[in-house]
Amino acid sequence: MVNGGNPSVSAIPAEELTRITDDIVAALKTVYDPEIPADIYELGLIYKIDIDDDRNVDIQMTLTAPGCPVAGEMPGWVENAVGSVEGVQVVRVELVFDPPWTPERMSEEAQVAVGWY
């Protein structure tokens, strides 16, 4: 589990779990919101990443706005990016809107990219 969750005991060896997690984050950083010049991970759109013992990945994410023009496409982009990570089996992406996304979720890197810093 990533993003503030307490890691639970995994059947995946710690070294492999770390590599898969790092590779998932790197993959997420290749997906950009087309309206904002920053990737979805740095924008704070990824709320939760769970990797189960079978290397299936569940991702909860949001959008900058519920009416985002790419709302129908973005989960597929995330699924494809994460699905390309070595060792990952099935990827499930769930769009959630609670809590709503706010600019405070953005990393410094994203704030710099959009000129807010």
Side-chain angles (χ1 to χ4, degrees):
M1 185 179 294
V2 181
N3 288 353
N6 291 329
S8 57
V9 176
S10 174
I12 303 171
E15 185 176 295
E16 181 183 357
L17 187 59
T18 297
R19 183 209 42 91
I20 290 173
T21 301
D22 291 347
D23 289 353
I24 288 171
V25 170
L28 290 169
K29 288 184 174 198
T30 68
V31 180
Y32 281 75
D33 183 313
E35 297 180 332
I36 303 172
D39 68 76
I40 62 170
Y41 189 83
E42 296 298 335
L43 283 172
L45 298 180
I46 303 300
Y47 284 178
K48 184 176 176 184
I49 302 168
D50 278 331
I51 306 166
D52 72 17
D53 290 346
D54 294 322
R55 294 164 181 78
N56 299 314
V57 179
D58 289 304
I59 296 174
Q60 286 187 347
M61 66 171 293
T62 194
L63 303 169
T64 54
C68 178
V70 295
E73 299 169 55
M74 182 90 63
W77 299 345
V78 170
E79 184 178 321
N80 290 337
V82 174
S84 71
V85 171
E86 182 183 338
V88 166
Q89 299 303 311
V90 176
V91 179
R92 292 176 292 267
V93 179
E94 178 186 6
L95 276 179
V96 297
F97 296 99
D98 187 30
W101 179 85
T102 62
E104 290 76 33
R105 295 189 59 89
M106 293 170 49
S107 69
E108 267 186 42
E109 181 179 313
Q111 291 175 18
V112 168
V114 298
W116 292 3
Y117 202 71

